[in-house]
Amino acid sequence: MNSKSSITMLNCSNEYPRTEVLYRDLKENQYPDVIVALTICCLLCVAMLILYIEAVYFVFRFHSNKRQKIRFMFLLALCPIIAWTSLLAILVPTATLLSEFTASIYVGVCIVVFLNMLLEYLGGTTQLLTDMSDQTLTFGTPPCCCCCMCCKCCRFPFNKKTLRVASVFTIQIAIVRPIVLFVAAVLWTDGKYASGDEGEQSSITFPIQVFSGVSTILGVWGLQIVYRATRDRLTMFRVNLKFASFQLTFAIVNLQNFILAILGKNGIPACEGSRGPLMRGSRLNHYLLVIEMFLLCILSRFAYRRQEAKNIQEYSMDGVTSSIKDSSDKEHYKRKCQVSKTIYSTFTIRTNASDVLQQDGYNK
């Protein structure tokens, strides 16, 4: 079995090598660039873990909303989890599909968590429907509907029914996608599924990829619908920055892997030693993911590491309270100035009177 695996690896195979084959190849051929890249990835993953712990400590110390604390903890963990699963795929290549499944499921869960965070900022579903009863909900948003005709015909009243439709689009990703990926993982352990396979297994691979892709697109579409309808009301919570970091993470995880898989099928990057184009492309994708997630982790930390009100209603009350406090301080300052002027005037009058009396006494 080992000799067969060695021969397969030497023939520039696209199969993921076992750890003994991979590390023996690294030891014999001594790839300094690979060793340096592995070291950098490990250091970046440790740094992300430290940043995550520090950010979570800040959230639990300075935020009072318990539900939002848990949501922030999930969303802040998105980049570190993707980075650590990518590092696992680099160190243990045969666990690549399992790592990708784990990262994909967590991304789907974070889409639902982000939607619940938006609704919490708005004071809940009931308060949102009351505040936006005179608004419209636009379904003409990417990725499903972004042309001019869709933008004109996909506007509906903002009510309970339309909000439920958008929420179902988002919530289904936390149910459908894990089931599909679990089936794919079971088939993979039996040797009947391989990501990007075009051979005999393509009849099984294609439907799984279609179901997973459709579920992901609908989930992102539902989140976009709610986000675009409410983002102008939530600028004080840095929602645009939070959504930008989340959207960039989602786009990089999906598009980068898709592009490198297409390049790998066309022989880019070229075969090198025991590693074929698809295998090298997969490893390059995970190396890049670790670096990119580190940068996005810093962006996410900046977006979430701040003191916030519980929702827009509490934020408005804080603004009213602060304005009242400022106005009362101004009134107090005005009164103080008036009293000071009165005292000064009285003192001046008395001083002038005493000077006059003294002058009269001197003249006499």
Side-chain angles (χ1 to χ4, degrees):
M1 181 69 179
N2 292 336
S3 62
K4 185 177 179 181
S5 299
S6 300
I7 294 172
T8 303
M9 293 299 108
L10 291 174
N11 287 335
C12 192
S13 174
N14 284 318
E15 295 180 1
Y16 296 111
R18 296 181 179 275
T19 52
E20 59 267 18
V21 177
L22 175 66
Y23 293 114
R24 185 175 68 242
D25 190 20
L26 290 176
K27 184 178 180 181
E28 292 175 356
N29 297 294
Q30 295 182 352
Y31 296 103
D33 54 341
V34 176
I35 296 174
V36 171
L38 278 173
T39 304
I40 293 174
C41 288
C42 291
L43 292 176
L44 290 179
C45 285
V46 173
M48 272 185 279
L49 183 60
I50 295 173
L51 288 175
Y52 173 72
I53 293 173
E54 189 272 338
V56 170
Y57 172 77
F58 179 88
V59 167
F60 274 83
R61 182 177 179 182
F62 294 102
H63 285 261
S64 58
N65 191 341
K66 294 182 179 180
R67 291 192 297 270
Q68 289 292 65
K69 287 180 181 180
I70 302 299
R71 294 185 185 111
F72 290 166
M73 185 178 68
F74 269 92
L75 294 171
L76 285 168
L78 179 60
C79 291
I81 284 181
I82 293 175
W84 277 95
T85 53
S86 298
L87 181 63
L88 177 63
I90 294 171
L91 297 175
V92 187
T94 51
T96 297
L97 289 178
L98 182 61
S99 300
E100 292 177 352
F101 291 162
T102 304
S104 298
I105 291 173
Y106 195 81
V107 169
V109 172
C110 285
I111 291 176
V112 180
V113 173
F114 197 94
L115 174 65
N116 291 329
M117 182 190 72
L118 292 180
L119 296 177
E120 184 72 24
Y121 276 146
L122 294 162
T125 305
T126 304
Q127 186 66 40
L128 173 61
L129 294 172
T130 302
D131 295 341
M132 302 191 67
S133 58
D134 57 340
Q135 303 293 325
T136 59
L137 198 62
T138 304
F139 281 70
T141 60
C144 288
C145 193
C146 53
C147 62
C148 296
M149 293 299 296
C150 288
C151 292
K152 293 180 180 180
C153 68
C154 293
R155 294 180 179 272
F156 300 95
F158 200 114
N159 52 39
K160 189 174 182 179
K161 182 178 179 181
T162 53
L163 181 60
R164 183 185 294 126
V165 172
S167 300
V168 167
F169 284 162
T170 305
I171 294 172
Q172 58 81 30
I173 195 173
I175 301 173
V176 176
R177 192 172 172 83
I179 294 174
V180 172
L181 294 179
F182 176 77
V183 172
V186 171
L187 294 173
W188 171 65
T189 57
D190 197 35
K192 295 180 180 179
Y193 174 84
S195 180
D197 183 53
E198 296 178 342
E200 298 177 355
Q201 301 165 347
S202 60
S203 59
I204 299 177
T205 302
F206 181 73
I208 291 176
Q209 292 178 343
V210 168
F211 275 108
S212 179
V214 170
S215 176
T216 302
I217 291 173
L218 289 177
V220 176
W221 188 31
L223 182 61
Q224 281 273 8
I225 291 169
V226 178
Y227 165 72
R228 287 173 178 265
T230 59
R231 60 184 174 182
D232 293 336
R233 298 169 56 85
L234 300 174
T235 53
M236 71 288 294
F237 296 108
R238 289 185 183 172
V239 169
N240 292 332
L241 186 59
K242 292 174 182 177
F243 186 76
S245 62
F246 178 78
Q247 194 172 35
L248 283 172
T249 304
F250 180 83
I252 289 173
V253 169
N254 290 276
L255 292 179
Q256 183 173 275
N257 187 27
F258 178 72
I259 293 172
L260 289 175
I262 293 176
L263 293 175
K265 292 175 184 177
N266 291 278
I268 302 173
C271 177
E272 182 180 87
S274 63
R275 300 186 294 274
L278 285 176
M279 193 267 179
R280 289 193 65 200
S282 176
R283 288 179 67 81
L284 177 61
N285 175 49
H286 292 112
Y287 281 125
L288 293 175
L289 278 178
V290 173
I291 299 173
E292 292 157 351
M293 290 305 111
F294 176 73
L295 299 177
L296 289 173
C297 182
I298 296 175
L299 179 62
S300 300
R301 178 181 178 274
F302 177 73
Y304 288 93
R305 198 182 186 281
R306 63 191 301 266
Q307 288 182 297
E308 295 177 342
K310 181 179 179 180
N311 47 46
I312 56 175
Q313 289 79 23
E314 183 177 319
Y315 182 85
S316 301
M317 290 301 297
D318 290 342
V320 172
T321 304
S322 62
S323 63
I324 292 173
K325 184 178 179 181
D326 293 339
S327 62
S328 63
D329 290 341
K330 291 179 181 178
E331 291 295 330
H332 178 70
Y333 178 74
K334 288 180 180 179
R335 287 197 214 100
K336 190 175 181 180
C337 291
Q338 290 175 355
V339 172
S340 299
K341 288 180 180 179
T342 304
I343 294 173
Y344 178 76
S345 300
T346 305
F347 177 77
T348 304
I349 293 171
R350 288 181 178 179
T351 302
N352 293 332
S354 62
D355 290 341
V356 170
L357 292 174
Q358 289 179 0
Q359 186 67 28
D360 291 341
Y362 177 77
N363 293 330
K364 290 179 180 180

